[in-house]
Amino acid sequence: MNKQQWVEAVDRGEIPEEHVEHVLWVLSNTPLLFDDGSTIAVEDYMQRLDRELSTEEAEAYQELFDLAVALSRRYSEASEYDRMQDVLSLQFDLWARGTLTLQDWMAWLQGAVKGEILLPEYDFDEVLGSAPEEFMIQDFHDELNFRLEDAPEDEWALSHLDELYRKVGVTEKI
């Protein structure tokens, strides 16, 4: 089974939700264990899986984690690597909430590895007026949602949230 067949099996409900959640958690959290993307390897991901895999699953996860390693190499410089980690973490949260589909996440990942999609980049002081040091993309997402809780029709927050969602792979509102 390749990665795309795995995604399709997930969409059909053939793979238990807890297995999918764990694999995606490993995808988004393993990079946090490294200071940069120059040394991370597929084995670093595979060893964090919590159960014995079938041959088909192992093939699909190998392909998925090959992409993750390629993304880490593409963004191996420390500041870019931190931003990549932040984006993967946000994507996991958006997937868990049902905002980002698995198909869209995988398409974003492939596009980012190929250089067709760039990581979101913001000057938060310019966008927000001022932002705390170390303010990151997930913080921006939280800030936008906080503003929308107080004012659900806030055009500024809605437009920035839509833009952020597009930049992290959300193609439609679910």
Short mmCIF file of all heavy atoms in Angstrom, two decimals, residues 102-160:
data_model
loop_
_atom_site.label_atom_id
_atom_site.label_comp_id
_atom_site.label_asym_id
_atom_site.label_seq_id
_atom_site.Cartn_x
_atom_site.Cartn_y
_atom_site.Cartn_z
N LEU A 102 -7.35 15.09 5.43
CA LEU A 102 -6.12 14.33 5.26
C LEU A 102 -5.60 14.47 3.83
O LEU A 102 -4.40 14.65 3.61
CB LEU A 102 -6.35 12.86 5.62
CG LEU A 102 -5.13 11.96 5.59
CD1 LEU A 102 -4.02 12.47 6.49
CD2 LEU A 102 -5.53 10.53 5.99
N GLN A 103 -6.50 14.42 2.85
CA GLN A 103 -6.11 14.59 1.44
C GLN A 103 -5.41 15.94 1.25
O GLN A 103 -4.36 16.02 0.60
CB GLN A 103 -7.34 14.54 0.51
CG GLN A 103 -7.90 13.16 0.32
CD GLN A 103 -7.17 12.37 -0.75
OE1 GLN A 103 -6.18 12.80 -1.33
NE2 GLN A 103 -7.65 11.18 -0.99
N ASP A 104 -5.99 17.00 1.80
CA ASP A 104 -5.40 18.34 1.64
C ASP A 104 -4.05 18.45 2.35
O ASP A 104 -3.12 19.06 1.86
CB ASP A 104 -6.35 19.42 2.15
CG ASP A 104 -7.49 19.70 1.20
OD1 ASP A 104 -7.43 19.26 0.03
OD2 ASP A 104 -8.45 20.37 1.61
N TRP A 105 -3.95 17.83 3.52
CA TRP A 105 -2.69 17.87 4.26
C TRP A 105 -1.59 17.17 3.48
O TRP A 105 -0.48 17.68 3.34
CB TRP A 105 -2.87 17.25 5.64
CG TRP A 105 -1.73 17.48 6.60
CD1 TRP A 105 -0.58 18.19 6.37
CD2 TRP A 105 -1.63 17.00 7.93
NE1 TRP A 105 0.22 18.17 7.49
CE2 TRP A 105 -0.41 17.45 8.46
CE3 TRP A 105 -2.47 16.23 8.73
CZ2 TRP A 105 0.00 17.15 9.76
CZ3 TRP A 105 -2.06 15.95 10.03
CH2 TRP A 105 -0.84 16.40 10.53
N MET A 106 -1.91 16.02 2.92
CA MET A 106 -0.90 15.27 2.16
C MET A 106 -0.52 16.01 0.87
O MET A 106 0.64 16.03 0.47
CB MET A 106 -1.41 13.86 1.84
CG MET A 106 -1.62 12.99 3.08
SD MET A 106 -0.15 12.76 4.10
CE MET A 106 -0.53 13.78 5.53
N ALA A 107 -1.49 16.65 0.23
CA ALA A 107 -1.19 17.44 -0.97
C ALA A 107 -0.30 18.62 -0.60
O ALA A 107 0.65 18.95 -1.34
CB ALA A 107 -2.49 17.92 -1.62
N TRP A 108 -0.58 19.27 0.52
CA TRP A 108 0.26 20.39 0.98
C TRP A 108 1.68 19.89 1.24
O TRP A 108 2.64 20.53 0.82
CB TRP A 108 -0.33 20.99 2.26
CG TRP A 108 0.48 22.14 2.78
CD1 TRP A 108 0.27 23.47 2.49
CD2 TRP A 108 1.64 22.08 3.62
NE1 TRP A 108 1.24 24.22 3.13
CE2 TRP A 108 2.09 23.40 3.81
CE3 TRP A 108 2.34 21.05 4.22
CZ2 TRP A 108 3.20 23.71 4.59
CZ3 TRP A 108 3.45 21.35 5.00
CH2 TRP A 108 3.88 22.67 5.17
N LEU A 109 1.80 18.77 1.91
CA LEU A 109 3.11 18.21 2.24
C LEU A 109 3.92 17.94 0.99
O LEU A 109 5.08 18.34 0.88
CB LEU A 109 2.92 16.94 3.08
CG LEU A 109 4.16 16.27 3.64
CD1 LEU A 109 4.92 17.21 4.57
CD2 LEU A 109 3.77 15.01 4.40
N GLN A 110 3.30 17.30 0.00
CA GLN A 110 4.01 17.03 -1.26
C GLN A 110 4.38 18.33 -1.97
O GLN A 110 5.49 18.45 -2.48
CB GLN A 110 3.15 16.16 -2.17
CG GLN A 110 3.24 14.71 -1.80
CD GLN A 110 2.58 13.82 -2.82
OE1 GLN A 110 1.41 13.51 -2.68
NE2 GLN A 110 3.35 13.41 -3.80
N GLY A 111 3.48 19.28 -2.01
CA GLY A 111 3.77 20.55 -2.65
C GLY A 111 4.88 21.31 -1.95
O GLY A 111 5.73 21.93 -2.59
N ALA A 112 4.90 21.26 -0.63
CA ALA A 112 5.95 21.94 0.13
C ALA A 112 7.30 21.29 -0.10
O ALA A 112 8.32 21.98 -0.23
CB ALA A 112 5.60 21.94 1.62
N VAL A 113 7.34 19.97 -0.17
CA VAL A 113 8.60 19.26 -0.43
C VAL A 113 9.14 19.64 -1.80
O VAL A 113 10.34 19.85 -1.98
CB VAL A 113 8.41 17.73 -0.29
CG1 VAL A 113 9.59 16.97 -0.87
CG2 VAL A 113 8.18 17.35 1.16
N LYS A 114 8.24 19.74 -2.78
CA LYS A 114 8.65 20.07 -4.15
C LYS A 114 8.97 21.56 -4.33
O LYS A 114 9.45 21.96 -5.38
CB LYS A 114 7.55 19.69 -5.13
CG LYS A 114 7.34 18.20 -5.26
CD LYS A 114 6.18 17.92 -6.21
CE LYS A 114 5.90 16.45 -6.31
NZ LYS A 114 4.71 16.19 -7.16
N GLY A 115 8.67 22.38 -3.34
CA GLY A 115 8.90 23.81 -3.46
C GLY A 115 7.77 24.55 -4.16
O GLY A 115 7.89 25.73 -4.45
N GLU A 116 6.67 23.86 -4.40
CA GLU A 116 5.51 24.49 -5.04
C GLU A 116 4.68 25.28 -4.03
O GLU A 116 3.90 26.14 -4.41
CB GLU A 116 4.63 23.41 -5.68
CG GLU A 116 5.34 22.64 -6.79
CD GLU A 116 4.60 21.38 -7.20
OE1 GLU A 116 3.63 20.98 -6.52
OE2 GLU A 116 5.02 20.77 -8.20
N ILE A 117 4.84 24.96 -2.76
CA ILE A 117 4.14 25.63 -1.67
C ILE A 117 5.21 26.06 -0.67
O ILE A 117 6.10 25.29 -0.34
CB ILE A 117 3.15 24.67 -0.97
CG1 ILE A 117 2.06 24.23 -1.95
CG2 ILE A 117 2.55 25.32 0.27
CD1 ILE A 117 1.16 23.13 -1.41
N LEU A 118 5.10 27.29 -0.21
CA LEU A 118 6.05 27.80 0.78
C LEU A 118 5.40 27.83 2.15
O LEU A 118 4.18 27.96 2.27
CB LEU A 118 6.49 29.21 0.39
CG LEU A 118 7.17 29.35 -0.97
CD1 LEU A 118 7.48 30.81 -1.26
CD2 LEU A 118 8.44 28.51 -1.03
N LEU A 119 6.23 27.72 3.16
CA LEU A 119 5.72 27.86 4.52
C LEU A 119 5.15 29.26 4.70
O LEU A 119 5.70 30.23 4.18
CB LEU A 119 6.85 27.66 5.53
CG LEU A 119 7.45 26.28 5.66
CD1 LEU A 119 8.61 26.32 6.65
CD2 LEU A 119 6.42 25.26 6.10
N PRO A 120 4.07 29.38 5.45
CA PRO A 120 3.56 30.72 5.75
C PRO A 120 4.62 31.54 6.48
O PRO A 120 5.36 31.02 7.31
CB PRO A 120 2.37 30.47 6.66
CG PRO A 120 2.08 29.03 6.59
CD PRO A 120 3.29 28.34 6.09
N GLU A 121 4.69 32.79 6.12
CA GLU A 121 5.64 33.68 6.78
C GLU A 121 4.93 34.99 7.07
O GLU A 121 4.25 35.54 6.21
CB GLU A 121 6.84 33.92 5.85
CG GLU A 121 7.98 34.60 6.51
CD GLU A 121 9.25 34.53 5.68
OE1 GLU A 121 9.24 33.99 4.57
OE2 GLU A 121 10.25 35.07 6.18
N TYR A 122 5.07 35.46 8.29
CA TYR A 122 4.40 36.68 8.72
C TYR A 122 5.36 37.57 9.48
O TYR A 122 6.22 37.09 10.21
CB TYR A 122 3.23 36.36 9.66
CG TYR A 122 2.06 35.69 9.00
CD1 TYR A 122 1.93 34.30 9.01
CD2 TYR A 122 1.07 36.43 8.37
CE1 TYR A 122 0.85 33.68 8.41
CE2 TYR A 122 -0.02 35.83 7.77
CZ TYR A 122 -0.12 34.45 7.79
OH TYR A 122 -1.20 33.84 7.20
N ASP A 123 5.17 38.88 9.32
CA ASP A 123 5.78 39.85 10.20
C ASP A 123 4.68 40.21 11.20
O ASP A 123 3.81 41.05 10.93
CB ASP A 123 6.23 41.09 9.42
CG ASP A 123 6.85 42.15 10.31
OD1 ASP A 123 6.61 42.13 11.54
OD2 ASP A 123 7.55 43.02 9.78
N PHE A 124 4.67 39.52 12.33
CA PHE A 124 3.57 39.65 13.27
C PHE A 124 3.48 41.04 13.88
O PHE A 124 2.38 41.51 14.19
CB PHE A 124 3.66 38.59 14.37
CG PHE A 124 3.43 37.20 13.83
CD1 PHE A 124 4.43 36.25 13.88
CD2 PHE A 124 2.21 36.85 13.27
CE1 PHE A 124 4.22 34.97 13.40
CE2 PHE A 124 1.99 35.57 12.77
CZ PHE A 124 3.00 34.63 12.83
N ASP A 125 4.61 41.73 14.03
CA ASP A 125 4.55 43.11 14.54
C ASP A 125 3.81 43.99 13.55
O ASP A 125 3.02 44.85 13.94
CB ASP A 125 5.96 43.66 14.78
CG ASP A 125 6.60 43.07 16.03
OD1 ASP A 125 5.85 42.69 16.95
OD2 ASP A 125 7.83 42.98 16.07
N GLU A 126 4.03 43.76 12.28
CA GLU A 126 3.34 44.55 11.26
C GLU A 126 1.86 44.18 11.19
O GLU A 126 0.99 45.05 11.13
CB GLU A 126 3.98 44.32 9.88
CG GLU A 126 3.35 45.14 8.78
CD GLU A 126 4.03 44.89 7.45
OE1 GLU A 126 5.27 44.96 7.39
OE2 GLU A 126 3.29 44.63 6.47
N VAL A 127 1.55 42.91 11.23
CA VAL A 127 0.16 42.45 11.12
C VAL A 127 -0.66 42.80 12.35
O VAL A 127 -1.82 43.22 12.23
CB VAL A 127 0.13 40.92 10.87
CG1 VAL A 127 -1.29 40.39 10.90
CG2 VAL A 127 0.78 40.56 9.54
N LEU A 128 -0.06 42.66 13.53
CA LEU A 128 -0.82 42.85 14.76
C LEU A 128 -0.56 44.18 15.46
O LEU A 128 -1.21 44.49 16.44
CB LEU A 128 -0.49 41.71 15.75
CG LEU A 128 -0.90 40.32 15.31
CD1 LEU A 128 -0.32 39.27 16.24
CD2 LEU A 128 -2.42 40.21 15.25
N GLY A 129 0.39 44.93 14.98
CA GLY A 129 0.77 46.17 15.67
C GLY A 129 1.96 45.91 16.56
O GLY A 129 2.92 46.66 16.57
N SER A 130 1.92 44.84 17.31
CA SER A 130 3.05 44.36 18.09
C SER A 130 2.73 42.92 18.50
O SER A 130 1.58 42.55 18.65
CB SER A 130 3.33 45.22 19.31
OG SER A 130 2.33 45.04 20.28
N ALA A 131 3.78 42.15 18.65
CA ALA A 131 3.59 40.75 19.05
C ALA A 131 4.71 40.39 20.02
O ALA A 131 5.82 40.91 19.92
CB ALA A 131 3.64 39.84 17.83
N PRO A 132 4.42 39.52 20.96
CA PRO A 132 5.46 39.09 21.89
C PRO A 132 6.61 38.39 21.15
O PRO A 132 6.41 37.84 20.08
CB PRO A 132 4.74 38.09 22.81
CG PRO A 132 3.29 38.27 22.55
CD PRO A 132 3.14 38.88 21.21
N GLU A 133 7.76 38.42 21.76
CA GLU A 133 8.90 37.71 21.20
C GLU A 133 8.55 36.22 21.12
O GLU A 133 7.81 35.71 21.96
CB GLU A 133 10.12 37.92 22.10
CG GLU A 133 11.41 37.53 21.44
CD GLU A 133 12.61 37.97 22.26
OE1 GLU A 133 12.59 39.09 22.80
OE2 GLU A 133 13.54 37.17 22.37
N GLU A 134 9.04 35.55 20.10
CA GLU A 134 8.78 34.12 19.89
C GLU A 134 7.34 33.83 19.47
O GLU A 134 6.90 32.68 19.51
CB GLU A 134 9.13 33.30 21.13
CG GLU A 134 10.52 33.53 21.69
CD GLU A 134 11.59 32.69 21.02
OE1 GLU A 134 11.29 31.59 20.56
OE2 GLU A 134 12.74 33.18 20.95
N PHE A 135 6.57 34.84 19.08
CA PHE A 135 5.21 34.65 18.59
C PHE A 135 5.27 33.84 17.31
O PHE A 135 6.08 34.12 16.43
CB PHE A 135 4.57 36.03 18.33
CG PHE A 135 3.08 36.02 18.21
CD1 PHE A 135 2.28 36.02 19.33
CD2 PHE A 135 2.48 36.04 16.96
CE1 PHE A 135 0.89 36.04 19.22
CE2 PHE A 135 1.10 36.07 16.84
CZ PHE A 135 0.30 36.06 17.97
N MET A 136 4.44 32.83 17.21
CA MET A 136 4.53 31.92 16.07
C MET A 136 3.18 31.80 15.38
O MET A 136 2.19 32.37 15.81
CB MET A 136 5.04 30.55 16.54
CG MET A 136 6.34 30.68 17.30
SD MET A 136 7.68 29.54 17.06
CE MET A 136 7.52 28.65 15.64
N ILE A 137 3.15 31.00 14.34
CA ILE A 137 1.95 30.85 13.51
C ILE A 137 0.78 30.29 14.32
O ILE A 137 -0.35 30.74 14.18
CB ILE A 137 2.27 30.00 12.27
CG1 ILE A 137 3.20 30.83 11.35
CG2 ILE A 137 1.02 29.57 11.54
CD1 ILE A 137 3.85 30.06 10.24
N GLN A 138 1.05 29.32 15.17
CA GLN A 138 -0.03 28.78 16.00
C GLN A 138 -0.57 29.84 16.95
O GLN A 138 -1.78 29.89 17.21
CB GLN A 138 0.42 27.54 16.76
CG GLN A 138 -0.33 26.35 16.28
CD GLN A 138 -0.07 25.11 17.06
OE1 GLN A 138 0.97 24.91 17.65
NE2 GLN A 138 -1.04 24.24 17.03
N ASP A 139 0.30 30.70 17.46
CA ASP A 139 -0.14 31.80 18.32
C ASP A 139 -1.05 32.74 17.53
O ASP A 139 -2.06 33.24 18.05
CB ASP A 139 1.05 32.58 18.86
CG ASP A 139 1.98 31.73 19.70
OD1 ASP A 139 1.49 30.91 20.51
OD2 ASP A 139 3.21 31.88 19.54
N PHE A 140 -0.67 33.00 16.28
CA PHE A 140 -1.46 33.87 15.41
C PHE A 140 -2.84 33.24 15.18
O PHE A 140 -3.86 33.93 15.27
CB PHE A 140 -0.72 34.09 14.09
CG PHE A 140 -1.38 35.06 13.16
CD1 PHE A 140 -1.83 36.29 13.58
CD2 PHE A 140 -1.52 34.74 11.81
CE1 PHE A 140 -2.42 37.20 12.70
CE2 PHE A 140 -2.09 35.63 10.93
CZ PHE A 140 -2.55 36.86 11.36
N HIS A 141 -2.88 31.95 14.92
CA HIS A 141 -4.14 31.24 14.74
C HIS A 141 -5.01 31.40 15.99
O HIS A 141 -6.21 31.70 15.90
CB HIS A 141 -3.87 29.77 14.43
CG HIS A 141 -5.10 28.96 14.28
ND1 HIS A 141 -5.58 28.14 15.28
CD2 HIS A 141 -5.96 28.84 13.24
CE1 HIS A 141 -6.69 27.57 14.86
NE2 HIS A 141 -6.95 27.97 13.62
N ASP A 142 -4.41 31.20 17.15
CA ASP A 142 -5.15 31.35 18.41
C ASP A 142 -5.67 32.78 18.59
O ASP A 142 -6.81 32.98 19.02
CB ASP A 142 -4.28 30.96 19.60
CG ASP A 142 -3.92 29.48 19.62
OD1 ASP A 142 -4.58 28.68 18.90
OD2 ASP A 142 -2.97 29.12 20.34
N GLU A 143 -4.83 33.75 18.27
CA GLU A 143 -5.24 35.16 18.39
C GLU A 143 -6.42 35.47 17.47
O GLU A 143 -7.37 36.15 17.88
CB GLU A 143 -4.05 36.08 18.06
CG GLU A 143 -4.38 37.56 18.01
CD GLU A 143 -4.79 38.14 19.36
OE1 GLU A 143 -4.44 37.58 20.41
OE2 GLU A 143 -5.47 39.19 19.35
N LEU A 144 -6.36 34.98 16.25
CA LEU A 144 -7.46 35.22 15.31
C LEU A 144 -8.76 34.59 15.84
O LEU A 144 -9.83 35.22 15.79
CB LEU A 144 -7.12 34.67 13.92
CG LEU A 144 -5.99 35.38 13.20
CD1 LEU A 144 -5.58 34.61 11.95
CD2 LEU A 144 -6.37 36.82 12.86
N ASN A 145 -8.67 33.38 16.33
CA ASN A 145 -9.87 32.73 16.87
C ASN A 145 -10.38 33.42 18.12
O ASN A 145 -11.60 33.53 18.32
CB ASN A 145 -9.59 31.24 17.14
CG ASN A 145 -9.68 30.44 15.87
OD1 ASN A 145 -10.71 30.42 15.21
ND2 ASN A 145 -8.59 29.79 15.51
N PHE A 146 -9.48 33.92 18.95
CA PHE A 146 -9.89 34.67 20.13
C PHE A 146 -10.67 35.92 19.72
O PHE A 146 -11.72 36.23 20.29
CB PHE A 146 -8.66 35.04 20.96
CG PHE A 146 -8.96 35.88 22.16
CD1 PHE A 146 -9.57 35.34 23.28
CD2 PHE A 146 -8.63 37.23 22.16
CE1 PHE A 146 -9.85 36.13 24.38
CE2 PHE A 146 -8.91 38.03 23.26
CZ PHE A 146 -9.53 37.47 24.37
N ARG A 147 -10.15 36.62 18.72
CA ARG A 147 -10.85 37.83 18.25
C ARG A 147 -12.22 37.49 17.68
O ARG A 147 -13.18 38.24 17.85
CB ARG A 147 -10.00 38.55 17.20
CG ARG A 147 -8.79 39.22 17.78
CD ARG A 147 -7.99 39.94 16.72
NE ARG A 147 -6.78 40.49 17.29
CZ ARG A 147 -6.19 41.58 16.85
NH1 ARG A 147 -6.69 42.25 15.83
NH2 ARG A 147 -5.09 42.02 17.43
N LEU A 148 -12.30 36.34 17.00
CA LEU A 148 -13.58 35.95 16.40
C LEU A 148 -14.59 35.48 17.45
O LEU A 148 -15.80 35.57 17.22
CB LEU A 148 -13.37 34.87 15.34
CG LEU A 148 -12.69 35.39 14.07
CD1 LEU A 148 -12.27 34.24 13.17
CD2 LEU A 148 -13.60 36.36 13.33
N GLU A 149 -14.11 35.02 18.59
CA GLU A 149 -15.04 34.68 19.68
C GLU A 149 -15.75 35.93 20.16
O GLU A 149 -16.94 35.90 20.46
CB GLU A 149 -14.27 34.06 20.85
CG GLU A 149 -13.89 32.62 20.63
CD GLU A 149 -13.08 32.06 21.79
OE1 GLU A 149 -13.02 32.69 22.88
OE2 GLU A 149 -12.48 31.00 21.60
N ASP A 150 -15.00 37.05 20.23
CA ASP A 150 -15.58 38.32 20.69
C ASP A 150 -16.39 39.01 19.61
O ASP A 150 -17.36 39.69 19.92
CB ASP A 150 -14.47 39.26 21.17
CG ASP A 150 -13.88 38.82 22.50
OD1 ASP A 150 -14.53 38.02 23.20
OD2 ASP A 150 -12.76 39.26 22.81
N ALA A 151 -15.95 38.85 18.37
CA ALA A 151 -16.63 39.53 17.26
C ALA A 151 -16.63 38.60 16.04
O ALA A 151 -15.76 38.68 15.18
CB ALA A 151 -15.91 40.84 16.92
N PRO A 152 -17.61 37.69 15.95
CA PRO A 152 -17.64 36.68 14.89
C PRO A 152 -17.64 37.23 13.46
O PRO A 152 -17.28 36.50 12.54
CB PRO A 152 -18.93 35.90 15.16
CG PRO A 152 -19.31 36.21 16.55
CD PRO A 152 -18.72 37.54 16.88
N GLU A 153 -18.00 38.47 13.29
CA GLU A 153 -18.04 39.06 11.95
C GLU A 153 -16.83 39.95 11.65
O GLU A 153 -16.83 40.68 10.65
CB GLU A 153 -19.33 39.87 11.78
CG GLU A 153 -20.60 39.04 11.98
CD GLU A 153 -20.70 37.85 11.03
OE1 GLU A 153 -20.36 37.99 9.84
OE2 GLU A 153 -21.12 36.78 11.50
N ASP A 154 -15.81 39.90 12.49
CA ASP A 154 -14.61 40.74 12.32
C ASP A 154 -13.94 40.41 10.99
O ASP A 154 -13.29 39.37 10.84
CB ASP A 154 -13.65 40.49 13.49
CG ASP A 154 -12.40 41.35 13.44
OD1 ASP A 154 -11.99 41.80 12.36
OD2 ASP A 154 -11.81 41.55 14.52
N GLU A 155 -14.11 41.30 10.02
CA GLU A 155 -13.60 41.07 8.66
C GLU A 155 -12.08 40.91 8.64
O GLU A 155 -11.55 40.09 7.88
CB GLU A 155 -14.03 42.21 7.72
CG GLU A 155 -15.49 42.17 7.35
CD GLU A 155 -15.88 40.92 6.60
OE1 GLU A 155 -15.11 40.46 5.72
OE2 GLU A 155 -16.95 40.37 6.90
N TRP A 156 -11.39 41.70 9.44
CA TRP A 156 -9.93 41.61 9.48
C TRP A 156 -9.50 40.22 9.92
O TRP A 156 -8.68 39.56 9.28
CB TRP A 156 -9.36 42.68 10.42
CG TRP A 156 -7.88 42.66 10.52
CD1 TRP A 156 -7.00 43.33 9.73
CD2 TRP A 156 -7.09 41.90 11.45
NE1 TRP A 156 -5.70 43.04 10.10
CE2 TRP A 156 -5.74 42.16 11.16
CE3 TRP A 156 -7.38 41.04 12.48
CZ2 TRP A 156 -4.68 41.59 11.88
CZ3 TRP A 156 -6.34 40.46 13.20
CH2 TRP A 156 -5.01 40.75 12.88
N ALA A 157 -10.07 39.73 11.03
CA ALA A 157 -9.70 38.42 11.56
C ALA A 157 -10.13 37.31 10.60
O ALA A 157 -9.37 36.36 10.36
CB ALA A 157 -10.33 38.21 12.94
N LEU A 158 -11.33 37.43 10.03
CA LEU A 158 -11.80 36.42 9.09
C LEU A 158 -10.90 36.33 7.86
O LEU A 158 -10.56 35.22 7.40
CB LEU A 158 -13.24 36.71 8.66
CG LEU A 158 -14.31 36.43 9.70
CD1 LEU A 158 -15.65 37.02 9.26
CD2 LEU A 158 -14.44 34.93 9.97
N SER A 159 -10.49 37.47 7.33
CA SER A 159 -9.64 37.44 6.13
C SER A 159 -8.26 36.86 6.43
O SER A 159 -7.72 36.09 5.64
CB SER A 159 -9.53 38.82 5.49
OG SER A 159 -8.80 39.70 6.30
N HIS A 160 -7.71 37.21 7.59
CA HIS A 160 -6.40 36.64 7.96
C HIS A 160 -6.50 35.15 8.26
O HIS A 160 -5.59 34.39 7.92
CB HIS A 160 -5.80 37.39 9.15
CG HIS A 160 -5.13 38.67 8.75
ND1 HIS A 160 -3.92 38.70 8.10
CD2 HIS A 160 -5.52 39.96 8.89
CE1 HIS A 160 -3.58 39.95 7.86
NE2 HIS A 160 -4.54 40.74 8.32
#
